[in-house]
Structure formats: C-alpha cells, structure tokens
C-alpha cells in the first residue's frame, strides 16, 4: 500500500466512523458535531485525491454553513441537550437490515467491478484555476441555472417561514400546514 | 491507488446514511443522514473524475453543484421542519401520519377514501394534551 | 281461389291492428254507432270474411278437391318453410263455421260489453283471434299452422284476463296459458319431427311422405302432436284450464272455449289424419284419453253449481266425443260433430250470457222459472240443450249418432275402420259431399281439380296403413260414448229444469236482454236445429237404425232420471241425488288438487330453493368476493401506516433486492 492509500484509509475510517456515530448517538447535538468530523475527514480525503477546490468548498459550505444551519434548527426546535432515549424510531431493526444489505450489495458490486483498477494521482488536477475555467466555460449554463435554483430556494424558505402563518388556532392559512 | 478504497468508503458512508434516514426519529437527524448520503455520492463523483482524468472535470464540477443543491435543500428542509414544529410542537417523523389509511375512516366514508382536513387538528390537540 | 282464402284471413287481422292502434280515438270520433268505432271495426271485417269464406265453401262444394297456393318460400337452411294456404272441403267448411260464430260473437259483444272500458282492445283481440284461427284452418304448411295456433293461445290469455283487476281472472288466464303451452311444446316438437322426417313442412307433402317414414318416428310425432291436441282441446290430463277459463267474459267463452280454439286440436288431428292412421298407438292413446275425458267431464257437469262451468265441462265431454270419433276412424263424423257442436255450444254460451246479464249471477241456484220472462232465450236455449243431449231431429243427434255408429262398427268388427274406402267410383255421392276431406276425392274428377297432386296418390297414402285399433279400446270407446249420451242428457235436463222451470229463486226481474243479444242467439238457434240435415249427402253421416234407437233410448233414460229427481222437489238441485259422490264430481275428481300437490307445490318449493340458493350461494359468492377483497385490502392497509420511514424502508429494500438479483444472476 502506498502512502496515499494509507492516509486515505485512515481518513476513510474516521469519516465512516463519524458517520456511524451521527446515526447512532443518543445526543442530538453530538450528532451534529460528529457530522462536522465526518465532513472534515471527507475534505481531507478529497485533498488526497487531488481535488483541492472541492475540498475547500466542502469545508466552506458543508462545515461552515450547513452544519451551522442544522445547529440552528436543533436549537429552534427545542432539542434536548442531554441524552434522550427515544432518538431511534421503531423502524430501527428493519433499517439496520436494509442498511446492511445496501452496504453488502454496494461493496460487493464495487469491489467486483473496480477492485483491480488503479488510478494514478497527479497533483494539480483539481486546482481552482482548472475548475474555475471549466465552470465558467463548459459548465456555465448549469451554473446559471443553479443560481436560479438558489434564488428559488431562498424565496421558498422565506415564504415558508413567515410568522404570520401560524397554527390553525391562530386563525390563518391552513393550506400551508401539512405533514 | 486502488480504486476500491474511495468507492468502498463511499459505499459505507451511504449505507450509514440509509440507516440514519430509516431509523432516526428526529427530522433534523434525518436531514443529517441525507447529507451523509449526498457526501458519499460526492466522493464517488470525485473518485471517478480523477480516475478518468476527465479533461472537462465533469465529476468535480458536478460535485460542486451537488454541494450547492444540498445547501439549498437543507435550507428549505429546515424551513419546513420549523414550520412543522410550529404547528405540532414536535418533529418526530414517525408521529407525522396523515398519509395513513385507517379502517375506521373507510367504514365511515362507505369505503371511499376522502381527503381528511380534520385530522391534523386531532393530532395537534392530542399532542397538546401530552 | 287461394287469394280468396288469403282474403278471408286478412280482414280480421287488419281490424285487430286498427282496433289496437286507434280504438280509443275512434271511439271518441264515432259515438253514434252502436259500440262506436270499435264496434264497427269489429263487426264489419268479420262479416266480410264470412261472405268470402261462404264463397270459398261454395266453390269447393261445386268443385271438390284440394287447392294449395304458396305466398313465399322461406329457406331455413335445412327444411324449407312454405308460407302458403290450402283450401279443401275440410278447411272451407270449418272456416265458414269459424266466421259465422265469430260474427255472432262480435255482434253480441257490442251489446254485452257496451259498458266495458276496454271494449276496443277486447274487440281487437277477438279479431286477431279470428284471423289466427282462420290461419290454422287454411294453413298449407305446418309451421304456418303453428303460428296461428300460438297466436290463438296468446289471444285466449288476453281475453280470459280481460277483467284482470280481479285476481281470479288473471290467475285463470295464466293457468290457461301455461297448461296449453305445456301441450304446445310437445306439439312443436312433433311438428319438427314430422317436418324433418318428411323433408318438408307442407301438409300435403308430409301426408305423402308418411308412408316412407320409420314407424317409430311417426308414432313419436303423432304422440307429441297429441300433447298439443290435449292441451288445446282440453282433454285429460291437460283439461284443468277450461273450467277456470270461464272467468273470462261470456262471449269469449262462446268463441274461444266452445266453438273455435278448442276445436282446433280436433281439426289438426283431422288435417293430419294420415299421420295418425300410420301410428295406431297414437290413435289408441287418443281413444283412451277421449273416454276418460268424456265420462269424467260429463260426471263433473252433473254436479256443478255454476252455469258456465256446466257448459265448460260439457265442452270437454263433447270434444272428447269428437276425439273418440277420430280414434275409431270416423273422421268425417268427427268433423261433422265439430261443426254442430260449434253451432249449439256457441248458442248455449251466448244464451247463458243473456241469462247472466239479466240475473247478475252465474249460479244455477239463483235462477228458476225464467221461461216466463225470457221467451226468446228460453226457446233458443231449449234447442241448444236438446241438440247437446242429442234429441232428434236436431243437429247434435245426427252427428253423435254417426260417431256412435262408427264406434259400434269398430267394436263389433275388432277395430276395423268404418269409413268406406274411397276407391269405389260408384259412390257418386262423394263428388257432391262437402264434408269430406281431400282424402275422399275420387279419381273421376281429376281433370277438374286444380290441386298440385293427383288424387290417386292420396288414396294410396290413405289406404296403405290399415286402421288398427285394439278391440279393447274400441269397446271402451263405444261403451264410453253410450254412457256419455246418458249423462249428457241428464245434465242438460238438470240445467234446463233448474233455469227455466219451478219458482223464481232470484230477486231480479226476468226479461229478455237487448235485441242485439237475443236476436243473435235466436239466429244461432237455426243452424243448431237444422245443420244435421246437411249431412244427409254422405252415407256415413246419415242416421243408422241401431245406433239411433240406442241413443234415443239412452237420452230418454238420462233425461227421465233427472226429471224424476227434480220433480220430487222443484226448488232443490236434482244433483243431490248423487249423494256421496257429489263432491268428487263437483271438483272433477280432484284432478286440480292432485296437480297442485304433485306439480305446483314441488315447483314452488324448487323456486324457493332456487331463490335461497341464489341469495345464499351465488349472491353470497359475489358479495363474499367483495368482502374478501376488502379484507385483503385491510391487510395491505396495515402497511399504509403513514410513517414515512416505513415507506422508505420498503422502497430501499426493494431496490437492494433488485440490484442484488441483477448482480447475482446477470
């Protein structure tokens, strides 16, 4: 095993381990924090794979924005701070089975398919310059569409969180209330 | 390096995400698990991009796009979760059951399913009573 | 000639349709005439038919022989149906009788039914019935005959149930229809057997082909035809409908149930006589049926309290006499009796209608001493009852006598037919005889016959099967006839005495009804009296010494016995002398009750069972399927618990399974 592989393996273990902890921990806030760890390990993995720009974007947006949003959400929904026993629903055993099956199938398929392939890693393949050139030349149209998407989601989020549309007993707009 | 390492990591991360979506009760935890799944997908995309040595960098660009979309999604998703919390004072996924069909509904309606706008009220009151 | 015959059938048919379509509106239009529009529509076409049939009969009398004509040939793929008519002596004379009686009934009904609210449909149905009967009489093809046969049946149903508001009337109509239908089923199968066997449905063709058919087929066909005859002509065991059919209006009873429809069965046997001669077993059965009906119905008539029921049982008995005549081979005698019976029975029923209209009741106990107030009715009914009983020199005596003579000959000579074979050319009387069928036509006149077949062949087909009634049956028929003569005289005398003599037992005023009614009755009395003399031309229709003396003796015996019993106490019913057998006679030996127990109750039980089966098995299966589907749905509904994670679990599990399957197997 080359050095890259060892480093990647370690980072992978951290990422997967943190991911498992996210889905199994009993404390809600710790789940969010384990998520940070997982994202960070993944960013490191991207670095090993020479996708630098992606790695920084990952840290910036996932760790920096998304996890913060999640923490805000946890806070605004009065999540319990300490341990809570009922974070797993009744579905957990079926979920475990399905997840295990998914893992088995996917791993088998991937190992059978790509187990003996190798990829050479050359630095610079994922630099900001190259990716920028690509985004603003070849992929500029999806880029613009994406900005429209962001606009739509912004508008949607604002509309959804209007405080003058409350529960039915406050007397307005029952249409927005659904499960 | 062997292609197997990143792809297997992605697969395992995905499976962890699947477990989380299916097993966690809190809606925000479900959203977190969805993020895990999206990250696994991103890792896969980057891996194959590097392996193909794609000149257009399609994989990595798509990864960027996926990250953006994930951000948009989580913004809206959390807005919805907050709205649910505002109305029902809880965000337990397994207690949000308006899609259910009961036999009692069926008999009362003579065997014809009809939309039931009255049900959220009862659930809300039931929750309040708790 | 054939067109003339077709024109005889047509006017009443058109009148029926005109009456049904426009009767009420015509009634509104033409109020002055008697009966209004419907009365005119009813009587005029029948009168036209009468004139035309008289012309036909006259032409046949001048020029005997068979004439057939075809309107069209219907190709059925196997045996063609020849839609055509056949005119010969038998059909001409029967057609004339039918038209006479129909006209009398229509004219009578104008007065009898003048307050009825459905007179137009009544008159229309009578017209339709008349045209159907004429179709049966003039039919040249078995299926055309069957069409007329069935139309008569349905008209009978409608007319019996004319006042259907009373449940008893509609029940009687249904009973009549069902019982005759039972016979008609056998009749149709017999017709089909004959037609398919002979390769044609044309009556002449069938008669010619009978010699070549296997004996079993002919016997089967003849027996099946007998089923229809028994049903239509009210013979045992399908006789139970006729007494109940008296619930219909009296003119209907006169037309349908005395003179025409019930005579159609006897007519058909005479028409297809060649078939019956080739199947001696069928004739033996006919004889047996005739004897049972004859004697049983005469006994029943003796004990009835209702005037119309007396006449109904009397009809059954007289039809049986005709059938007995056919059984012993006396075809002309039987047809002669059919004609005279048509005259005097119609007379009796219409006169009874007069009495019923005046008295307001049909019960004999309500009558008495009517001769003083209703002279026309009295004398007409006297002639009718005397003709019924067979008092010389009225028509009934002539016809009954010829049948008794034939039966006597058959009994004494071991079953041989008394009909003189037609081969003898010296019996010149045959050429002039108008009561003979084409079978008795002589070869001398073959250049004048316009028929499609030379008479010589008919002789062969008539002579080839020997008339062969078992001697036992012949004796039974003969003795039955004798007993019936006595019984007939007895009940005729009883009826006559109870109605017209003694002190009046009712509280109504006895007077002759309207002129239209009583004069029609009087007009019918004329043929009832003198028709017998028309048969003197044929030797087998002339009175014979031995038989006539015997019959007069028996008439005197029966009438005398009834008179003696009555004379002891004129106010009481002479039938009381019957003593303990009176209830059995009155209920016609409980045949109706037997049928109710043996047939009606099991069928009703079966019907109830079928209903239960349908409800609890078939319906339950259908409903149960629905419930099972619902329960299955309920099972599936368990999965629809609203929990998103359940749905997703199922979804992803399915995807994983599919992928695994693809990976492993492909």
């Amino acid at each position: 095993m080359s050095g890259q592989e060892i480093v990647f393996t370690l980072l992978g273990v951290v990422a997967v381990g943190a991911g498992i902890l996210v889905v199994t921990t009993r404390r809600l806030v710790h789940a969010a924090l384990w998520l940070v760890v997982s994202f960070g390990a993944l960013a490191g993995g991207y670095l090993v794979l020479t996708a630098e720009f992606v790695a920084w974007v990952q840290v910036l947006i996932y760790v920096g924005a998304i996890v913060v949003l999640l923490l805000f959400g946890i806070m605004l929904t009065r999540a319990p701070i300490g341990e809570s026993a009922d974070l797993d629903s009744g579905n957990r055993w079926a979920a475990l089975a399905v997840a295990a099956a998914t893992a088995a199938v996917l791993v088998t398929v991937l190992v059978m398919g790509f187990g003996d392939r190798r990829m050479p890693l050359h630095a610079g393949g994922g630099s900001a310059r190259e990716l920028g050139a690509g985004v603003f030349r070849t992929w500029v149209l999806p880029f613009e569409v994406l900005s429209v998407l962001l606009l739509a989601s912004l508008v949607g989020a604002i509309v959804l969180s209007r405080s003058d549309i409350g529960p039915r007993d406050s007397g307005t707009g029952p249409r927005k209330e659904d499960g | 390096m062997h292609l197997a390492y990143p792809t297997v990591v992605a697969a395992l991360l995905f499976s962890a995400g699947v477990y989380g979506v299916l097993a966690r009760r809190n809606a925000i935890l479900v959203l977190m698990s969805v993020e895990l799944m999206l990250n696994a997908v991103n890792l896969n995309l980057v891996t194959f991009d590097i392996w193909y040595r794609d000149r257009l960098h399609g994989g990595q660009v798509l990864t960027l796009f996926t990250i953006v979309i994930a951000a948009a999604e989580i913004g809206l998703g959390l807005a919805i979760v907050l709205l649910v919390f505002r109305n029902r004072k809880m965000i337990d996924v397994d207690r949000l059951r308006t899609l259910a069909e009961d036999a009692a509904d069926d008999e009362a309606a003579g065997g014809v399913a009809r939309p039931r706008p009255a049900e959220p009220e009862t659930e809300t009151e039931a929750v309040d009573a708790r | 000639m054939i067109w003339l015959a077709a024109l005889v059938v047509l006017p009443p048919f058109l009148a029926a349709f005109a009456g049904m379509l426009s009767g009420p509106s015509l009634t509104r239009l033409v109020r002055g005439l008697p009966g209004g529009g419907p009365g005119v529509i009813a009587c005029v076409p029948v009168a036209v038919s009468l004139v035309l049939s008289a012309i036909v009969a006259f032409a046949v009398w001048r020029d005997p022989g068979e004439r057939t004509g075809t309107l069209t040939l219907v190709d059925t793929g196997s045996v063609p149906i020849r839609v055509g008519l056949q005119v010969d002596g038998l059909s001409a004379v029967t057609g004339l009788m039918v038209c006479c009686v129909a006209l009398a009934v229509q004219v009578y009904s104008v007065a009898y039914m003048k307050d009825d609210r459905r007179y137009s449909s009544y008159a229309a149905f009578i017209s339709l019935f008349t045209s159907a009967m004429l179709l049966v009489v003039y039919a040249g093809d078995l299926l055309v005959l069957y069409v007329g046969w069935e139309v008569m049946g349905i008209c009978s149903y409608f007319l019996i149930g004319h006042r259907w508001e009373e449940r008893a009337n509609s029940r009687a109509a249904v009973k009549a229809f069902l019982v005759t239908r039972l016979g008609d089923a056998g009749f149709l199968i017999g017709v089909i057997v004959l037609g398919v066997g002979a390769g044609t449905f044309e009556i002449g063709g069938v008669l010619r082909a009978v010699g070549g058919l296997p004996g079993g087929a002919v016997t089967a066909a003849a027996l099946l035809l007998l089923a229809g005859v028994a049903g239509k002509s009210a013979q045992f065991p399908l006789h139970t409908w006729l007494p109940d059919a008296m619930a219909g209006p009296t003119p209907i009873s006169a037309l349908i149930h005395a003179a025409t429809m019930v005579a159609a069965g006897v007519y058909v046997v005479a028409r297809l006589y060649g078939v019956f001669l080739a199947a001696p077993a069928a004739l033996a059965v006919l004889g047996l049926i005739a004897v049972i009906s004859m004697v049983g119905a005469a006994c029943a008539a003796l004990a009835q309290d209702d005037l119309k029921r007396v006449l109904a049982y009397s009809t059954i008995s007289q039809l049986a006499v005709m059938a007995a005549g056919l059984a012993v081979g006396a075809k002309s005698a039987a047809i002669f009796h059919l004609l005279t019976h048509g005259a005097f029975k119609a007379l009796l029923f219409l006169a009874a209608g007069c009495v019923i209209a005046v008295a307001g009741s049909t019960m004999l106990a309500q009558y008495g001493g009517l001769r003083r107030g209703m002279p026309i009715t009295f004398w007409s009914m006297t002639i009718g009852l005397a003709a019924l009983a067979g008092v010389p020199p009225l028509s009934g005596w002539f016809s009954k006598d010829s049948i008794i003579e034939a039966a006597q000959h058959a009994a004494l000579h071991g079953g041989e037919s008394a009909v003189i074979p037609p081969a003898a050319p010296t019996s010149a009387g045959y050429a002039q005889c108008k009561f003979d069928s084409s079978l008795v036509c002589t070869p001398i006149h073959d250049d004048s016959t316009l028929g499609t077949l030379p008479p010589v062949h008919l002789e062969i087909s008539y002579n080839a099967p020997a008339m062969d009634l078992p001697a036992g049956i012949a004796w039974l028929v003969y003795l039955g006839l004798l007993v019936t003569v006595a019984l007939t005289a007895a009940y005729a005398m009883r009826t006559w005495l109870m109605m017209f003599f003694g002190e009046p037992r009712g509280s109504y005023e006895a007077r002759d009804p309207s002129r239209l009614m009583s004069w029609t009755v009087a007009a019918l009395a004329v043929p009832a009296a003198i028709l017998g003399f028309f048969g003197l031309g044929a030797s087998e229709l002339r009175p014979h010494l031995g038989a006539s003396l015997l019959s007069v003796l028996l008439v005197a015996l029966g009438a005398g016995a009834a008179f003696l019993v009555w004379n002891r106490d004129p106010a009481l019913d002479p039938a009381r002398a019957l003593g303990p057998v009176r209830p059995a006679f009155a209920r016609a030996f409980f045949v109706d009750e037997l049928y109710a127990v043996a047939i009606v109750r099991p069928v009703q039980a079966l019907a109830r069972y079928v209903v239960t089966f349908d409800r609890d098995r078939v319906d339950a299966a259908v409903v149960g399927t629905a419930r099972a589907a619902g329960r299955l749905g309920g099972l599936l509904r368990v999965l629809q618990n609203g929990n998103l994670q359940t749905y997703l679990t199922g979804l992803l599990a399915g995807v994983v399974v599919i992928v695994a399957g693809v990976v492993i197997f492909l």
Side-chain angles (χ1 to χ4, degrees):
Chain A
M1 264 182 26
S2 65
Q4 296 150 332
E5 286 177 357
I6 297 173
V7 173
F8 191 85
T9 312
L10 283 171
L11 286 167
V13 166
V14 170
V16 173
I20 292 178
L21 281 169
V22 166
V23 297
T24 52
T25 180
R26 288 214 203 111
R27 296 174 192 241
L28 196 49
V29 183
H30 285 201
L33 298 174
W34 282 121
L35 198 63
V36 173
V37 172
S38 180
F39 287 163
L42 269 177
Y46 290 144
L47 277 176
V48 171
L49 288 174
T50 74
E52 306 145 2
F53 187 62
V54 175
W56 299 128
V57 168
Q58 163 97 347
V59 170
L60 208 61
I61 298 186
Y62 261 114
V63 176
I66 290 181
V67 172
V68 171
L69 264 182
L70 285 168
L71 284 170
F72 267 109
I74 289 174
M75 177 188 77
L76 286 172
T77 56
R78 314 276 162 86
I81 301 296
E83 274 202 19
S84 41
D86 59 347
L87 277 186
D88 282 336
S89 71
N91 206 25
R92 76 179 78 125
W93 301 114
L96 188 59
V98 172
T102 313
V105 166
L106 281 175
V107 169
T108 316
V109 166
L110 289 168
V111 166
M112 277 167 55
F114 303 104
D116 54 348
R117 308 295 161 85
R118 289 175 157 277
M119 60 180 180
L121 294 172
H122 305 285
S127 68
R129 177 205 192 108
E130 293 221 9
L131 276 188
V135 166
F136 288 104
R137 288 205 197 112
T138 322
W139 304 99
V140 67
L141 213 47
F143 177 76
E144 296 301 335
V145 172
L146 207 58
S147 49
V148 175
L149 176 83
L150 278 177
L151 180 65
S153 81
L154 183 67
V155 171
I158 291 172
V159 167
L160 279 178
S161 44
R162 278 165 67 165
S163 58
D164 56 346
I165 305 170
R168 203 188 289 271
D169 48 23
S170 77
T172 44
R175 262 195 317 114
K176 297 274 169 40
E177 304 171 15
D178 52 342
Chain B
M1 62 178 357
H2 277 120
L3 200 50
Y5 291 92
T7 48
V8 168
V9 167
L12 292 174
L13 213 50
F14 188 82
S15 312
V18 164
Y19 174 75
V21 165
L22 298 179
R24 294 302 239 169
R25 188 168 273 156
N26 195 310
I28 299 192
L29 284 171
V30 170
L31 284 171
M32 286 189 210
S33 313
V34 171
E35 293 306 318
L36 276 178
M37 288 160 77
L38 283 167
N39 270 287
V41 166
N42 286 347
L43 182 58
N44 232 7
L45 280 169
V46 168
T47 307
F48 279 97
D49 181 82
I50 300 298
W51 180 45
Y52 280 135
R53 299 220 264 161
D54 192 352
R55 210 165 37 83
L56 297 175
H57 294 300
Q60 293 187 46
V61 172
L62 197 54
T63 306
L64 291 177
F65 289 170
T66 309
I67 294 175
V68 168
I69 291 173
E73 171 215 333
I74 206 139
L76 273 176
L78 279 173
I80 293 173
V81 166
L82 287 178
L83 213 49
V84 170
F85 182 76
R86 214 186 280 166
N87 288 321
R88 298 168 197 237
K89 303 286 181 279
M90 58 96 188
I91 45 171
D92 289 347
V93 169
D94 54 359
R95 280 201 278 153
L96 300 171
R97 291 209 187 207
T98 48
L99 278 175
E101 274 215 33
D102 333 299
D105 263 338
D106 192 36
E107 282 158 24
V112 176
R114 278 191 227 135
R116 294 176 297 273
E119 220 203 341
E121 278 187 273
T122 55
E123 271 205 72
T124 315
E125 284 148 21
V127 166
D128 279 345
R130 224 173 284 164
Chain C
M1 174 53 60
I2 290 298
W3 290 111
L4 211 55
L7 279 178
V8 173
V9 178
L10 208 52
F13 184 73
L14 294 173
F17 268 88
M20 283 194 220
L21 291 175
S22 61
S25 46
L26 269 177
T27 314
R28 279 193 293 277
L29 276 176
V30 190
R31 281 202 183 277
L33 297 168
V40 172
I41 299 178
C43 297
V44 168
V46 182
V48 169
S49 291
L50 176 61
V51 169
L52 291 173
S53 64
I55 297 176
V56 168
F58 186 68
V60 171
W61 180 56
R62 294 306 296 266
D63 214 352
E66 182 191 286
R67 298 152 179 72
T68 53
T70 310
L71 180 61
T72 167
L73 189 63
V74 174
D75 203 351
T76 59
S78 60
V79 180
I81 303 174
R82 195 175 285 270
V83 178
L85 300 177
Q86 179 183 21
V87 172
D88 58 6
L90 175 62
S91 54
V93 92
T94 313
L96 187 60
M97 187 265 286
V98 168
C99 287
C100 283
V101 175
L103 180 63
V105 166
Q106 286 278 29
V107 170
Y108 182 91
S109 300
V110 168
Y112 191 81
M113 304 287 282
K114 75 171 170 346
D115 293 325
D116 193 285
R117 80 196 105 141
R118 280 195 290 271
Y119 176 70
S120 58
S121 78
Y122 167 92
F125 273 120
I126 295 187
S127 300
L128 185 63
F129 172 86
T130 311
S131 70
M133 180 69 192
L134 287 169
L135 193 64
V136 168
V137 167
Y138 286 120
D141 183 286
L142 280 176
L143 283 177
V144 172
L145 191 148
Y146 186 72
V147 166
W149 186 271
E150 287 300 335
V151 174
M152 280 202 294
I154 193 69
C155 286
S156 162
Y157 165 79
F158 281 123
L159 287 167
I160 296 174
H162 179 71
R163 299 188 196 115
W164 48 262
E165 285 87 359
E166 278 115 61
R167 194 101 169 89
N169 298 344
S170 61
R171 278 213 190 113
V174 170
K175 181 175 180 182
F177 188 66
L178 285 178
V179 175
T180 51
R181 207 81 185 88
L182 195 60
D184 291 345
F187 189 77
L188 181 61
I189 299 175
V191 162
I192 291 175
V193 168
L194 274 181
V196 169
T200 170
F201 282 113
E202 195 196 341
I203 292 181
V206 167
L207 288 172
R208 261 170 284 155
V210 155
L213 289 178
V218 175
T219 311
L223 285 172
L224 287 166
L225 287 173
L226 273 187
V229 166
K232 260 311 190 273
S233 293
Q235 300 298 293
F236 179 85
L238 294 173
H239 64 282
T240 50
W241 63 273
L242 192 51
D244 289 326
M246 297 296 118
T250 310
I252 301 305
S253 307
L255 178 65
I256 299 183
H257 306 125
T260 45
M261 184 171 100
V262 294
V266 174
Y267 177 81
V268 162
V269 175
R271 195 30 126 200
L272 292 171
Y273 206 47
V275 174
F276 285 92
L277 286 177
L283 279 179
V285 170
L286 182 63
L288 208 56
I289 290 178
V291 172
I292 299 175
S293 310
M294 237 192 283
V295 178
C299 290
L302 206 46
Q304 295 300 314
D305 294 322
D306 185 320
L307 172 61
K308 285 181 75 173
R309 286 180 84 98
V310 171
L311 294 177
Y313 281 111
S314 155
T315 307
I316 299 177
S317 178
Q318 295 302 306
L319 287 167
V321 167
M322 291 178 225
L326 287 169
V328 295
K331 189 177 91 141
S332 331
I335 295 298
F336 189 30
H337 193 58
L338 186 144
L339 297 171
T340 58
H341 175 265
F344 63 69
K345 205 35 89 56
L347 163 66
L348 279 173
F349 266 107
L350 291 182
C354 292
V355 172
I356 294 170
V358 164
S361 149
T362 55
M363 303 306 263
L364 283 172
Q366 298 283 329
Y367 303 152
L370 291 177
R371 76 176 184 285
R372 291 178 213 107
M374 308 175 68
I376 303 180
T377 313
F378 170 59
W379 284 110
S380 314
M381 204 143 182
T382 306
I383 293 177
L385 286 169
L388 171 64
V391 170
L394 299 174
S395 58
W397 176 66
F398 279 94
S399 50
K400 245 192 258 194
D401 178 75
S402 42
I403 294 183
I404 294 175
E405 168 65 26
Q408 188 176 19
H409 181 95
L412 293 176
H413 295 108
E416 209 181 275
S417 161
V419 177
I420 300 163
T426 55
S427 36
Y430 292 108
Q432 310 293 328
C433 174
K434 59 183 188 237
F435 297 115
D436 299 333
S437 76
S438 57
L439 294 173
V440 198
C441 196
T442 67
I444 295 178
H445 293 262
D446 68 336
D447 54 326
S448 62
T449 54
L450 304 173
T452 56
L453 42 104
V456 167
H457 291 166
L458 291 177
E459 287 181 54
I460 291 175
S461 74
Y462 178 71
N463 277 327
M467 166 67 208
D468 179 23
L469 198 66
I473 305 269
W475 269 107
L476 206 58
V477 167
Y478 180 53
L479 292 173
L481 277 168
L482 295 179
V483 170
T484 307
V485 166
L487 287 173
T488 308
Y491 69 70
M493 178 63 104
R494 166 181 174 251
T495 311
W496 190 54
L497 290 172
M498 279 188 80
M499 283 175 74
F500 296 108
F501 291 87
E503 291 308 312
R505 288 187 288 274
S507 57
Y508 46 85
E509 188 207 323
R511 49 171 182 72
D512 264 324
S514 76
R515 274 181 306 173
L516 212 53
M517 284 166 67
S518 42
W519 285 12
T520 310
V521 167
L524 272 176
V526 171
I530 63 170
L531 201 56
F533 294 100
F534 284 78
L536 290 176
S539 89
E540 72 265 17
L541 300 178
R542 279 186 218 126
H544 298 82
L545 196 59
S548 45
L549 276 180
L550 193 54
S551 63
V552 169
L553 197 60
L554 289 167
V555 165
L557 199 66
F563 177 76
L564 284 174
V565 175
W566 176 79
N567 209 19
R568 271 187 237 143
D569 193 347
L572 293 179
D573 188 349
R576 70 187 185 281
L578 291 171
V581 298
R582 190 179 177 187
F585 281 14
R587 294 298 312 158
F589 305 99
F590 302 110
V591 177
D592 255 331
E593 281 79 2
L594 178 69
Y595 284 168
V597 165
I599 298 172
V600 174
R601 279 221 218 117
V603 170
Q604 281 176 331
L606 183 68
R608 272 193 297 273
Y609 170 69
V610 168
V611 167
T612 320
F613 182 80
D614 179 58
R615 194 183 53 224
D616 294 341
R617 308 284 160 71
V618 176
D619 264 358
V622 172
V623 171
T625 312
R627 283 210 206 106
R631 260 180 260 133
L632 193 64
L635 279 178
L636 288 175
R637 189 188 282 129
V638 169
L639 292 176
Q640 303 286 331
N641 54 6
N643 188 341
L644 194 65
Q645 286 176 336
T646 314
Y647 300 163
L648 277 174
T649 313
L651 202 65
L652 287 171
V655 170
V656 166
V657 165
I658 291 174
V659 170
V662 166
V663 164
I664 295 174
F665 294 113
L666 291 178

